[in-house]
Amino acid sequence: MSDALPCLVQVAVSTPAHSAVGDLLSYACAAPLAPGTLVRVPLGAREVLGVVWDAPAEPLPLPAGMAPRPVAGVLEGIAPLDAAWRRLVAFTARYYQRALGEVALAALPPQLRELTPEQLARRMRRPAAGAAAQASVSATESVALSAEQESAAAEIEANPGPFLLFGSTGSGKTEVYMHCVARALAASPAAQALVMVPEINLTPQLEARFRARFAPLYGEAAVVSLHSGMTNPQRLKSWLAAHQGAARIVLGTRMAVFASLPGLALVVVDEEHDASYKQQEGARYSARDLAVWRAREQGAKVILGSATPSLESWHASSPEVGRYQRLAMPARIGAGELPRLRLVDMGQQPRGTAFSPPLLAAITERVERGEQCLVLLNRRGFAPVLHCHDCGWKSDCPHCSAHQVFHKIDRTLRCHHCGYAQRVPRACPACGNPDIAPVGRGTEQLEEQLAALLRNVITPERRAARVARIDADTTRAKGALEEQLAQVHAGEVDVLVGTQMVAKGHDFRRITLVAAVQPDGALFSSDFRAPERLFALLMQAAGRAGRDAQYVAAQASPPEMWLQTWHPDHAVYAALRRHDYPAFAQQQLAERREAGMPPFAHQALVRADARSQEAAHAFLQAAADAARAAQLPGLEQVFIFPPVPLAVQRVADVERAQMLLESPVRGALQRFLAAWQPLLHTERARHRALVRWLVDVDPQAI
Ligand code: ADP
Ligand code: ZN
Ligand code: ZN
């Protein structure tokens, strides 16, 4: 058969994870195919999507007597993916220790994998709605930048970057992004911009702002979104528009970093500190770090923006390192003040109070004046556990080393780790005691309690105060979050109870008080990043208050952020009181330098999941021993810690353990990991009780 097909191509395909098949497979075809061409090829008994890859220096060896199978079809209508995209994919695979084909295929819209070349050709002939929109409508007035914004924008214009835009919440960072996007797009008709946000639920607001500004200039089709909340056909459409250059602006979550953008001129990573930029399965990439890499590779500028930058980025932008250019915008637009911090010492309050009397009084007063309040509790459900006081029974998940959470609304016990749910028992399953009680509280309970406490509070419109809740449970249905946010914006809600979901990014205009009722938990976490996360979350939350300077000026008292804490003297809260991120960062970085932790060291985790802890440990230990025995390159600069169980060690009946690797030199860790891969595969084959293993480079949670 191959006699008739004189050409050989190397194709990246997604083979089963950890399979022994190499990254690229050889196929035969009639005429040469350009690298980046999308093809359909046979793989075992299936036919799959593949990407033609640059031929390796050495032809790939085929088993003796085997001829390469022919390419089954070419996706004609789609131009080959360019070299920059292929380099990004290859770098991601190499850096995060995954197969090239897996990363390449995961970076493409899922629907591309399913469509035959004919179906795709039909899809592409369909005119894109709004594509012909004329640039006749006049552009929405772009606002005049403040002096701070102007100076940041000028620096970005004049310098290569990367930039760290360190601007308080409400300082107008988004306006700076839009200004820079406008400049970049005006500079060349082929220029494209990529703007990333951490959460899907922040994309609608962002899209509305970008659409209002740019659709009149470049047409509706020029602004597209890319995130996992879209249907597969929508994602394919956005992806194609970006790939073909019709989309000038791509807004999206972390996955958008892999969009094919031949004209990429500017990348924005908003809320760059956010942990959701780190992918948590497959290739565990950091979209923020890849954005910086990609921008440099493609000659694009990159802006990382945050009011509370990651300590990695802060350090990179320090005078000492100078890898990023730091641009500060401390002032809020319209001279709006950041809220004053009020700490309630829970040690001085009546035992068992959820809402301290002073906080309740402050909320009541605001609601009576027609202002809105936001109450934050980072735990959903009614109570984290049910407890029998007679025999000590607890609502433990039978499949995990975790409690099942009590959800009162549908009277279920639900495990937030494996999803296992059951009806709440009428009596203690262990001793029959009918009096089993919830311990601790979640947002559901908070909402109920607040509604009861504010029962007699009347708003200026002479109606009873309304309490509403927004968390993952209330927003499961499509469109639910938008609807609930709209009610808040419309002033139909007086007190909003929610998880971190509502703390981020939303531009609430009438909220003047934000309260975190139980923030202490993170102060004593075993994860060294916990204080950083807590500080960022509380600063973000504080940023939801007093966003409208005019509105605030018209009110009787300034905006406030309340914290109920048992540790009012903690350094994290002291820095928060002064809104002093730089001081907080300096103190944290000093600790990290002392302890030799990131950003002063580089880490990777190897995780093993197995039927027993012993089996998971045995695999990790064997892998470490094999590395030492083989004296792998880089080993002399890599410290391998002993294996330990994960904090939640059993999930869905699988035992989990991990082993931390640390090195002061990134390159040494990378060399070591690359050389280690084959040994890990070999060990895996020897450890039958192992379910899976994975490597997490630059892990975000330890
Ligand atoms: P951030 O992204 O830093 O939180 P935004 O860009 O959302 O801040 O700006 C906060 C608010 O201030 C928004 O309502 C925005 O429209 C407004 N704003 C931003 N820049 C200006 C400006 N130069 N003039 C007037 N209003 C502005
Ligand atoms: Zn009992
Ligand atoms: Zn469970």
Side-chain angles (χ1 to χ4, degrees):
M1 196 192 308
S2 59
D3 295 344
L5 298 171
C7 293
L8 262 191
V9 285
Q10 316 304 328
V11 179
V13 292
S14 185
T15 53
H18 300 319
S19 82
V21 185
D23 278 356
L24 298 175
L25 299 180
S26 291
Y27 288 91
C29 54
L33 291 171
T37 304
L38 289 166
V39 290
R40 307 228 18 121
V41 292
L43 181 70
R46 297 174 303 145
E47 193 182 287
V48 299
L49 179 69
V51 185
V52 174
W53 219 259
D54 314 65
E58 307 257 316
L60 300 174
L62 277 171
M66 256 184 65
R69 302 169 75 181
V71 168
V74 176
L75 276 61
E76 299 281 357
I78 303 184
L81 290 148
D82 62 15
W85 185 88
R86 299 198 305 280
R87 280 196 301 271
L88 173 68
V89 164
F91 171 77
T92 305
R94 214 167 50 238
Y95 187 83
Y96 295 102
Q97 308 291 324
R98 301 296 291 200
L100 175 68
E102 180 202 358
V103 175
L105 274 292
L108 295 170
Q111 206 173 27
L112 264 189
R113 273 172 257 166
E114 296 146 21
L115 297 181
T116 64
E118 296 72 34
Q119 286 168 322
L120 188 72
R122 244 177 286 135
R123 183 71 53 96
M124 310 247 312
R125 275 196 298 275
R126 243 182 261 161
Q134 281 294 310
S136 58
V137 202
S138 72
T140 44
E141 279 296 293
S142 54
V143 296
L145 297 185
S146 69
E148 277 186 353
Q149 288 171 320
E150 194 70 65
S151 127
E155 290 292 331
I156 294 169
E157 180 79 15
N159 296 291
F163 304 95
L164 178 64
L165 184 59
F166 169 52
S168 331
T169 50
S171 62
K173 294 186 290 297
T174 311
E175 277 302 326
V176 174
Y177 304 152
M178 290 200 285
H179 178 91
C180 295
V181 168
R183 281 291 187 87
L185 299 194
S188 147
Q192 294 177 301
L194 168 64
V195 181
M196 290 197 289
V197 285
E199 304 249 347
I200 294 175
N201 59 51
L202 293 177
T203 53
Q205 227 178 14
L206 187 79
E207 189 177 332
R209 281 176 81 173
F210 272 79
R211 203 166 276 290
R213 179 74 53 89
F214 292 101
L217 290 171
Y218 299 108
E220 286 290 336
V223 184
V224 303
S225 291
L226 262 183
H227 56 75
S228 60
M230 299 164 69
T231 64
N232 282 347
Q234 285 170 334
R235 256 169 84 175
L236 178 60
K237 197 175 146 200
S238 290
W239 186 87
L240 284 171
H243 178 59
Q244 293 160 334
R248 306 288 304 278
I249 302 174
V250 174
L251 309 171
T253 50
R254 61 173 177 263
M255 64 157 67
V257 78
F258 291 113
S260 166
L261 291 158
L264 187 64
L266 177 68
V267 187
V268 173
V269 185
D270 191 25
E271 312 291 3
E272 67 88 32
H273 62 278
D274 200 288
S276 22
Y277 282 119
K278 186 79 155 72
Q279 166 78 8
Q280 291 300 352
E281 54 191 44
R284 299 188 159 216
Y285 62 86
S286 157
R288 174 196 64 215
D289 296 350
L290 287 182
V292 174
W293 191 90
R294 180 178 189 175
R296 192 186 53 212
E297 257 281 312
Q298 245 176 303
K301 287 191 181 181
V302 60
I303 309 172
L304 311 179
S306 178
T308 51
S310 64
L311 289 174
E312 282 82 357
S313 299
W314 186 254
H315 182 59
S317 71
S318 65
E320 167 195 349
V321 177
R323 230 164 2 100
Y324 299 168
Q325 185 180 350
R326 190 185 295 168
L327 306 168
M329 297 202 303
R332 281 187 127 183
I333 289 295
E337 266 177 68
L338 280 165
R340 267 182 51 203
L341 190 72
R342 306 287 303 262
L343 288 173
V344 180
D345 183 353
M346 293 307 272
Q348 307 292 320
Q349 301 299 319
R351 256 185 74 91
T353 29
F355 288 96
S356 57
L359 173 57
L360 191 63
I363 292 177
T364 304
E365 196 181 301
R366 303 252 170 193
V367 171
E368 281 173 343
R369 288 207 303 256
E371 299 169 36
Q372 292 175 309
C373 301
L374 172 63
V375 179
L376 192 70
L377 176 62
N378 229 350
R379 188 196 273 155
R380 64 195 168 84
F382 190 86
V385 61
L386 283 185
H387 182 226
C388 167
H389 291 286
D390 278 2
C391 76
W393 173 86
K394 283 199 171 103
S395 57
D396 290 331
C397 175
H399 306 291
C400 305
S401 44
H403 299 310
Q404 281 188 294
V405 175
F406 173 39
H407 290 255
K408 191 173 172 186
I409 282 186
D410 54 4
R411 299 212 60 83
T412 55
L413 290 174
R414 269 186 261 154
C415 174
H416 290 183
H417 293 277
C418 73
Y420 181 73
Q422 54 193 151
R423 301 277 304 162
V424 170
R426 289 188 183 287
C428 172
C431 75
N433 170 17
D435 193 19
I436 44 178
V439 180
R441 60 182 72 77
T443 45
E444 228 184 73
Q445 188 176 160
L446 209 59
E447 179 192 16
E448 190 183 285
Q449 286 181 337
L450 254 184
L453 290 168
L454 301 177
R455 198 172 47 238
N456 298 320
V457 176
I458 305 294
T459 70
E461 291 123 57
R462 317 207 60 69
R463 57 166 178 76
R466 283 194 204 124
V467 180
R469 169 170 59 99
I470 294 186
D471 58 26
D473 293 321
T474 68
T475 52
R476 240 175 267 286
K478 203 170 158 54
L481 177 67
E482 288 79 0
E483 204 174 295
Q484 290 166 35
L485 286 173
Q487 287 174 5
V488 179
H489 290 301
E492 290 161 26
V493 171
D494 304 298
V495 181
L496 178 61
V497 173
T499 52
Q500 57 167 349
M501 198 174 193
V502 290
K504 294 181 187 175
H506 302 288
D507 196 8
F508 297 118
R509 310 307 293 176
R510 284 178 48 203
I511 287 182
T512 57
L513 183 151
V514 173
V517 290
Q518 224 171 302
D520 284 348
L523 293 178
F524 307 100
S525 161
S526 60
D527 190 332
F528 70 89
R529 281 194 179 84
E532 179 184 354
R533 294 249 164 77
L534 178 65
F535 188 88
L537 176 65
L538 294 178
M539 279 285 269
Q540 279 285 321
R544 296 319 103 207
R547 291 181 70 79
D548 190 332
Q550 256 180 326
Y551 178 77
V552 165
Q555 305 310 311
S557 49
E560 287 175 338
M561 166 93 189
W562 285 67
L563 294 182
Q564 299 192 139
T565 173
W566 292 86
H567 307 275
D569 299 325
H570 200 281
V572 170
Y573 298 143
L576 201 64
R577 187 197 289 282
R578 297 189 303 268
H579 303 295
D580 196 347
Y581 171 81
F584 170 77
Q586 189 183 7
Q587 173 257 329
Q588 286 283 311
L589 283 171
E591 273 180 28
R592 299 239 191 128
R593 188 193 299 269
E594 184 87 349
M597 281 192 291
F600 303 99
H602 305 277
Q603 298 181 327
L605 278 178
V606 192
R607 204 176 95 193
D609 292 357
R611 292 285 159 228
S612 69
Q613 265 301 321
E614 294 69 39
H617 271 68
F619 168 78
L620 295 173
Q621 195 55 57
D625 293 345
R628 292 192 182 104
Q631 300 193 350
L632 293 185
L635 182 62
E636 64 289 347
Q637 286 177 291
V638 174
F639 187 80
I640 308 178
F641 288 82
V644 291
L646 261 70
V648 178
Q649 72 175 61
R650 187 169 55 103
V651 166
D653 296 316
V654 172
E655 290 284 343
R656 313 182 307 164
Q658 67 184 20
M659 189 163 71
L660 179 65
L661 283 70
E662 208 169 68
S663 174
V665 185
R666 194 191 292 275
L669 182 60
Q670 277 288 315
R671 274 197 307 285
F672 174 82
L673 289 173
W676 203 21
Q677 280 283 330
L679 303 190
L680 285 163
H681 284 288
T682 310
E683 285 306 325
R684 198 266 174 268
R686 288 199 193 125
H687 290 252
R688 290 292 152 83
L690 196 71
V691 177
R692 66 183 84 84
W693 64 276
L694 60 90
V695 176
D696 188 347
V697 181
D698 303 331
Q700 283 301 296
I702 304 277

